[in-house]
């Protein structure tokens, strides 16, 4: 199975390593030459800053940075990457967004960018670099999907292929909201 991890930073790097350790054919993509170089030093993994070098994948894992711009969520990197995927992916591909996004983002991407032709799930990461053994890639997390076919594909990939325990949400919006609530809770813990 060919997997493309988009975004090789603090989250994408360990995700790509984990997928590679599971025996998958992993490709990495990042706009940062430094991130690609760091990832390429692994040897058995391929990474590039040039999207046209990425072959068609069975699974695209989107783990790009999201943040704020002028006090509002900045999801431009997620949208840009999904537009790239939409141009080259086969209809049977699974796209999983692990980046933190606001409720409604996945469905908007599914309708406006993928035109309903690609399977799409949101499986937000819970990775914490300070404790990768207990809060690493392989820990229980939620998954939500835009439709039943996408959910089945997402659960098969995460649970069967990667061996990651997943809790299926009733909708993709619930999964999106779970990540926002968890981040808010962590922020409050740090503040106190």
């Amino acid at each position: 199975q060919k997997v493309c991890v988009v975004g090789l930073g603090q989250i994408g790097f360990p995700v790509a390593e984990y997928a590679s350790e599971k025996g998958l054919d992993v490709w990495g993509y990042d706009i940062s030459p430094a991130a690609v170089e760091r990832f390429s030093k692994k040897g058995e993994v391929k990474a590039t800053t040039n999207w046209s070098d990425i072959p068609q994948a069975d699974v695209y894992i989107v783990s790009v940075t999201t943040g704020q711009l002028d006090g509002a969520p900045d999801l431009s990197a997620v949208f840009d990457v999904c537009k790239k995927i939409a141009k080259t992916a086969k209809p049977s591909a699974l796209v999983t967004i692990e980046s933190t996004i606001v409720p409604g983002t996945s469905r908007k991407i599914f309708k406006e960018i993928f035109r309903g032709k690609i399977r799409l799930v949101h499986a937000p990461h819970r990775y914490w670099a300070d404790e990768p053994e207990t809060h690493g890639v392989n820990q229980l997390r939620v998954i939500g999907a835009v439709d039943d076919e996408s959910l089945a594909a997402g659960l098969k990939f995460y649970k069967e292929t990667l061996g990651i325990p997943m809790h299926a949400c009733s909708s993709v919006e619930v999964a999106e909201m779970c990540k926002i609530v968890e981040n808010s809770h962590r922020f409050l813990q740090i503040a106190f």
Side-chain angles (χ1 to χ4, degrees), residues 120-160:
L120 178 65
V121 299
H122 179 52
H125 71 82
R126 301 182 73 215
Y127 186 81
W128 187 26
D130 290 342
E131 293 182 8
E133 293 303 316
T134 54
H135 298 290
V137 175
N138 187 4
Q139 63 173 307
L140 177 64
R141 46 180 153 149
V142 298
I143 185 171
V146 294
D147 57 30
D148 291 340
E149 182 184 348
S150 296
L151 182 60
L155 287 171
K156 182 176 182 182
F157 175 68
Y158 279 101
K159 290 175 95 173
E160 294 177 25

Side-chain angles (χ1 to χ4, degrees), residues 103-187:
T105 304
S106 296
R107 207 164 294 281
K108 180 176 181 159
I109 288 170
F110 183 67
K111 290 178 181 174
E112 296 178 13
I113 296 175
F114 295 141
R115 309 269 187 234
K117 296 180 181 168
I118 289 178
R119 297 175 293 177
L120 178 65
V121 299
H122 179 52
H125 71 82
R126 301 182 73 215
Y127 186 81
W128 187 26
D130 290 342
E131 293 182 8
E133 293 303 316
T134 54
H135 298 290
V137 175
N138 187 4
Q139 63 173 307
L140 177 64
R141 46 180 153 149
V142 298
I143 185 171
V146 294
D147 57 30
D148 291 340
E149 182 184 348
S150 296
L151 182 60
L155 287 171
K156 182 176 182 182
F157 175 68
Y158 279 101
K159 290 175 95 173
E160 294 177 25
T161 305
L162 296 181
I164 298 175
M166 303 299 284
H167 173 78
C169 294
S170 58
S171 72
V172 71
E173 290 83 8
V174 170
E176 291 166 332
M177 194 64 202
C178 283
K179 179 62 174 165
I180 299 294
V181 170
E182 184 172 25
N183 282 4
S184 299
H185 178 68
R186 284 184 179 164
F187 179 79

Side-chain angles (χ1 to χ4, degrees), residues 5-17 39 61 63-64 98:
V5 178
V6 184
L8 299 172
Q10 184 178 2
I11 304 306
F13 188 86
V15 168
E17 279 186 313
F39 187 70
I61 301 174
S63 58
V64 296
E98 293 196 2

Side-chain angles (χ1 to χ4, degrees), residues 47-121:
T48 183
T49 57
N50 186 356
W51 182 256
S52 62
D53 292 342
I54 300 289
Q56 278 191 328
D58 301 298
V59 179
Y60 296 86
I61 301 174
V62 178
S63 58
V64 296
T65 301
T66 56
Q68 289 196 0
L69 181 64
D70 299 325
D74 180 13
L75 305 175
S76 58
V78 175
F79 286 107
D80 290 346
V81 164
C82 288
K83 287 174 186 172
K84 286 181 167 97
I85 293 170
K87 290 178 184 175
T88 58
K90 51 191 170 188
S92 62
L94 170 67
V95 175
T96 172
I97 300 173
E98 293 196 2
S99 303
T100 304
I101 54 178
V102 297
T105 304
S106 296
R107 207 164 294 281
K108 180 176 181 159
I109 288 170
F110 183 67
K111 290 178 181 174
E112 296 178 13
I113 296 175
F114 295 141
R115 309 269 187 234
K117 296 180 181 168
I118 289 178
R119 297 175 293 177
L120 178 65
V121 299

